[in-house]
Each structure stands twice: as C-alpha cells, then as structure tokens.
C-alpha cells in the first residue's frame, strides 16, 4: 500500500498545509487498521493450516481432522475454544496463550517441548515432611475441581489437534493424577489418543530437592535440549513436573496446570505459555500476587469479559456464577426503572431482533476500587425492526459505555448506556 502526498508550495496558505497533513495522518491511521486486520487474518490462516489435516481412520490418533478455532483477544493474547463438537462432552473453558504472534512455533512444530506444572491441588492438605513421591495419603493431591480442569485441558488440546507425541511424568501423585485427567479429556475426543499415548514416569522430574526428588534441574535441562521430535509420532514432548523445577530452570513462575512452550533449538528459550482461561494463582506460590491490587484488577476484568462473551453468544447460562443472585441493571436515567435479569435480557432481545448479529467489542477497560468501566462498540447489520424503523440492510456501529460494580467474585450491579442517537442517525439516513 502506497500513500502519496504533495505538500503545497511555501507561498500557499498554512491552512492548506494543515489540511494536507491531516489527510495524510488519517490515511496512515486507516492503513494501520488495515494492516492489523491483515496480520490477524494471516495469523489465523496460518494456524488453521497448521492445525487442519485430513487423514484416514487408521492413521495416528493425533492426526484427526481438526479445524482451528482461534480468537485474538488482544495484541498478544489468543484463545482457543473446542475445535470440534463431541457428543455428550461439554467444556466450559478455553485455552489461552501468549504471544499470539508465535502461534506457528508454539503449535506447528514437533521439535518443541511443553513443560507443564501439575494441575490444581487442594492446598488445605500440605505435603508431610520427607513424604515419598508415591505416598498419596500424606501429600497434597489434586482437587476435584483440578481434575475436571485438567480433563477440560486434555479435551481442548485434543480437539485442536495439539496432541503430544509422548508424555513424561514425575512420580508424585498430583503429577500422575494430572496425566490421568489429561488422558480422560483427550480420550473423550478420540479414545485412540489415550490408548496409544507413550507414557514414561521419570524420577528426574520429581519435586526438586525433596526426598527421592531431583537433586538439580540439569537432567531436565539436558532432556529438553536433546529433544528433536519423535521420528515415529507427531507432536511435541510433554513433561509434567513441579513449580520449583520449572522456576529453577526457566525463571518463570507458572500457575497449576500451566504449560511453557520451550524451543531446544534456541538454547531452551521459552516461546510462550498455554493455560486454561480459568487458571489462577495458587496460595502456595502466589500469595504475594493474590494480595496484589493487580490480581484483583485482573479478576475483575476477566468477569467483565465473560459477561460480554455471554451477551455476544446469547448464552444466558454463562451468567451462572458470574452475576450475584440479586444483580440488577440500573435504568439509563433516574426516571427509568432498574431491570432484573429477565427484563434486561428482554431489552437485549429488542436489539437482537433488529440487529441479529449484534456484538459488543471492548475497546478499553478501566478499574478503580470495585468498579470496572468499559468503553466499547456495538456493531452488526440492521435487518429487522428497531427503534421503530424497519430493517435497512446497513452495517451499523455505535458506541456504548458500561459500568459494573464487582464484589466477592461476582458482578452485583451494572449501568449501561448505548449511543441510541448514533444508531438512530445511521438507520434513518436516506
């Protein structure tokens, strides 16, 4: 794309110069928007090509037909939903990864290593002193919620064709339980994956410096550095180990169930991370972060993002556990009554009737005390009646500002102000 601008001669009016410069600035801004869209489109196309393959039923289970289901959430973060629908399998979660720009290396190469911390555990029961790795009765083990999350992780990986070629696991009970839950989820997508997966238990991945544990991370480092892919199977190497080992090796702090993607060809450089959308810091290793206002802000932002995801997908069930039982939407002015969930969804239905594909895109989020303010854009195609005007077939975009008050992990009241006048002006145009 080329932009040509002819500046006026020195004798011309200064106002003419300003007009030309303003025009050039606007053109550059438009070009940047177009290039961002092109980059996103190319990245999604590349990942779809990397993760989409057609094979016969007797080929490797990791090569089942999968179509990438990827969304770019921000400049650097991406998200994957379930790649295929599986009868009877419901996964209310998603994979999040960073950086989005590294999707080719993170998901398209068999010579990388997925270095994973075991899944979420019950921190009310701590490891006994000098407990043996296989003594499950005297060590911290996975919680029921953690088992379900790791099964979800397995299903999400398998449904997006992100299946390891082989898995190596620490002897510790919580790591073995993580492996079992992953296989449960992967097997629900394709039972051949769990049936045929090569698995090895390696004391070299045991909890660093514990009884019968790894004495150093050097064996782990060497194992990663030696990985160059499996000549007989597709997919990366998956290692399931512990927080202490991962931090010592990489200097990265990881959540329970989080995966670091490591490139042995670049001296074991960390390329990025993969974790569940529901992943959160644990009290054992992130007490400082959990007490931080930044964590409170991140949790509030996540709640609001889930709120708009539920609205955009028209899935009222996603509000469960997200909104307080007595949640309400304030009226747009003091003269208008507040709305409970039913009356609010009825008003949303009015917009959907007129603009069936209407969606809200968050442009910016702002947090202060217990309040999250969103500034965003509603867009869609006006094909039905709205504000007393029949469908025009026009694409419309109009702004909206919303305020949400959060407390105790839920949203308990909201204010919302769409630019109805802006919408009306667009659908009234002759």
């Amino acid at each position: 794309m080329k932009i040509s601008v002819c500046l006026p001669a020195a004798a011309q009016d200064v106002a003419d110069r300003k007009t030309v410069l303003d025009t050039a600035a606007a053109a550059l801004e438009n070009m940047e928007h177009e290039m961002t869209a092109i980059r996103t489109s190319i990245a999604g196309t590349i990942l779809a090509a990397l993760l989409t393959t057609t094979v016969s039923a007797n080929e490797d289970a990791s090569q089942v037909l999968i179509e990438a289901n990827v969304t770019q959430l921000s400049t650097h973060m991406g998200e994957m939903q379930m790649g295929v629908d599986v009868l009877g399998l419901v996964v209310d979660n998603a994979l999040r990864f960073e950086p989005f720009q590294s999707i080719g290396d993170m998901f398209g190469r068999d010579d990388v290593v997925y270095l994973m911390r075991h899944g979420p555990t019950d921190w009310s029961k701590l490891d006994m002193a000098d407990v043996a790795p296989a003594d499950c009765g005297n060590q911290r083990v996975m919680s029921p919620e953690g088992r379900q999350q790791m099964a979800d992780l397995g299903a999400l990986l398998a449904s997006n064709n992100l299946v390891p070629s082989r898995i190596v696991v620490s002897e510790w009970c919580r790591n073995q339980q993580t492996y079992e839950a992953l296989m449960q989820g992967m097997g629900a997508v394709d039972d051949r994956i769990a049936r045929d997966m090569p698995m090895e238990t390696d004391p070299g991945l045991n909890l660093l410096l514990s009884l019968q544990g790894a004495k150093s991370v050097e064996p782990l480092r060497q194992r990663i550095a030696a990985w160059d892919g499996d000549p007989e199977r597709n997919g990366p190497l998956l290692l399931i180990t512990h927080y202490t080992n991962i931090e010592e090796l990489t200097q990265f702090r990881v959540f329970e169930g989080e995966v670091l993607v490591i490139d042995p060809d670049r001296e074991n450089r960390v390329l990025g991370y993969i974790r569940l959308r529901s992943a959160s810091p644990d009290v054992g290793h992130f007490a400082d972060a959990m007490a931080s206002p930044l964590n409170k802000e991140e949790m509030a932002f996540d709640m609001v993002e889930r709120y708009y995801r539920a609205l955009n997908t028209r899935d009222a069930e996603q509000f469960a556990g997200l909104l307080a039982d007595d949640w309400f939407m304030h009226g747009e002015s003091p003269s208008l009554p507040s709305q409970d969930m039913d009356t609010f969804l009825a008003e949303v239905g009015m917009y959907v009737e007129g603009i069936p594909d209407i969606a809200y895109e968050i442009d910016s989020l702002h947090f202060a005390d217990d309040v999250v303010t969103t500034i965003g854009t509603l867009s869609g195609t006006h094909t039905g009646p709205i504000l007393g005007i029949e469908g025009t077939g026009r694409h419309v975009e109009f702004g909206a500002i919303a305020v949400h008050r959060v407390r105790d992990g839920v949203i308990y009241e909201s204010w919302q102000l769409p630019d109805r006048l802006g919408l009306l002006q667009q659908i009234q145009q002759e």
Side-chain angles (χ1 to χ4, degrees):
M1 184 181 298
K2 182 183 293 185
I3 298 175
S4 297
V5 177
C6 296
L7 292 174
Q12 289 183 277
D13 191 90
V14 173
D16 291 337
R17 295 172 181 261
K18 184 177 186 303
T19 300
V20 172
L21 291 173
D22 287 345
T23 302
L28 287 169
E29 183 176 359
N30 288 336
M31 183 176 70
E32 176 61 24
H33 289 316
E34 291 179 17
M35 291 304 298
T36 298
I38 291 170
R39 285 194 296 267
T40 301
S41 175
I42 291 173
T45 301
I46 291 172
L47 185 55
L50 289 168
L51 303 185
T52 305
T53 180
T54 306
V55 294
S56 60
N58 62 358
E59 289 186 276
D60 194 309
S62 67
Q63 295 299 303
V64 293
L65 175 63
I66 299 297
E67 183 172 327
N69 184 12
V70 182
T71 302
Q72 185 170 5
L73 298 180
S74 65
T75 302
H76 299 293
M77 182 182 291
E79 182 175 276
M80 290 185 195
Q81 305 288 337
M82 283 288 288
V84 294
D85 292 327
V86 179
L87 184 63
L89 179 61
V90 178
V91 176
D92 185 21
N93 219 321
L95 292 177
R96 286 193 172 172
F97 63 92
E98 286 192 79
F100 187 84
Q101 292 74 12
S102 294
I103 53 177
D105 282 337
M106 292 174 65
F107 303 128
R109 291 172 50 186
D110 296 340
D111 61 344
V112 296
V113 175
Y114 284 5
L115 182 62
M116 178 181 180
R117 183 184 175 194
H118 58 73
T121 54
D122 179 4
W123 281 89
S124 67
K125 180 182 179 181
L126 301 181
D127 299 334
M128 296 286 289
D130 296 330
V131 63
D135 183 3
C136 300
N138 289 303
Q139 63 179 261
R140 196 176 83 250
V141 295
M142 287 183 66
S143 64
E145 296 80 12
R147 288 177 182 265
Q148 182 58 58
Q149 288 179 30
M150 291 302 94
D152 289 348
L153 176 61
L156 286 160
L157 289 170
S159 73
N160 284 289
N161 204 19
L162 302 177
V163 178
S165 60
R166 58 185 58 249
I167 301 177
V168 184
V169 190
S170 160
E171 290 182 305
W172 282 67
C173 297
R174 47 185 174 264
N175 299 69
Q176 295 288 324
Q177 292 167 347
T178 300
Y179 165 76
E180 293 167 1
L182 286 173
M183 289 302 97
Q184 176 188 338
M186 290 186 179
V189 175
D190 186 331
D191 60 5
R192 295 172 298 175
I193 298 175
R195 183 190 68 204
D196 300 336
M197 179 62 65
M199 181 270 199
E200 172 191 348
T201 296
D202 181 4
L205 273 64
N206 284 1
L207 185 59
L208 189 65
L209 299 180
S210 65
L211 179 69
Q212 302 177 38
K215 303 306 179 185
S216 75
V217 294
E218 192 56 33
L220 178 60
R221 188 191 315 277
Q222 292 177 3
R223 181 157 202 158
I224 293 173
W227 178 255
D228 192 33
D230 189 320
E232 299 178 356
R233 292 174 56 87
N234 296 316
L237 172 66
L238 173 59
L239 306 176
I240 306 177
T241 184
H242 301 262
Y243 174 94
T244 309
N245 306 53
I246 296 172
E247 184 184 38
E248 177 71 16
L249 179 68
T250 68
Q251 305 304 305
F252 279 77
R253 304 176 70 189
V254 292
F255 294 170
E256 291 179 310
E258 184 173 356
V259 177
L260 296 183
V261 182
I262 297 182
D263 187 351
D265 288 344
R266 303 180 192 176
E267 299 181 341
N268 292 354
R269 177 186 301 176
V270 175
L271 299 178
Y273 74 81
I274 308 167
R275 64 187 181 213
L276 289 174
R277 183 175 64 208
S278 61
S280 60
D282 57 86
V283 67
H285 294 286
F286 291 91
D288 54 343
M290 293 176 73
S292 168
L294 292 177
N295 183 58
K296 181 180 178 182
E297 177 178 325
E298 182 176 344
M299 292 176 64
F301 284 174
D302 182 66
M303 281 189 285
V304 170
E305 288 172 347
R306 287 163 53 202
Y307 170 88
Y308 287 107
R309 189 180 304 115
L311 285 179
N312 287 342
T313 58
R314 325 281 191 254
D315 186 359
E317 292 183 359
Q318 292 190 36
F319 289 119
L322 178 61
L323 302 180
D325 293 338
D326 55 352
W327 174 89
F328 64 97
M329 174 70 71
H330 288 271
E332 293 180 12
S333 71
S335 62
L336 294 176
S338 299
Q339 301 171 314
D340 60 14
M341 175 57 69
D342 291 337
T343 54
F344 171 67
L345 290 179
E347 180 174 325
V348 171
M350 179 269 292
Y351 279 95
V352 173
E353 181 182 7
I355 311 172
D357 60 343
I358 191 169
Y360 183 78
E361 180 178 354
I362 298 174
D363 297 325
S364 61
L365 287 165
H366 307 274
F367 181 78
D369 296 327
D370 60 350
V371 172
V372 179
T373 302
T374 72
I375 301 173
T377 303
L378 288 154
S379 63
T381 307
H382 177 220
T383 59
I386 189 170
L387 301 180
I389 299 176
E390 294 298 320
T392 62
R394 294 173 182 154
H395 178 78
V396 295
E397 291 187 4
F398 55 104
I401 297 176
V403 177
H404 305 275
R405 193 180 298 276
V406 297
R407 182 176 60 199
D408 300 328
V410 294
I411 302 171
Y412 67 92
E413 62 178 328
S414 303
W415 293 257
Q416 201 149 287
L417 185 63
D419 182 9
R420 293 175 185 263
L421 178 59
L423 170 61
L424 190 60
Q425 289 172 338
Q426 294 177 64
I427 62 180
Q428 280 184 329
Q429 291 178 354
E430 295 298 334

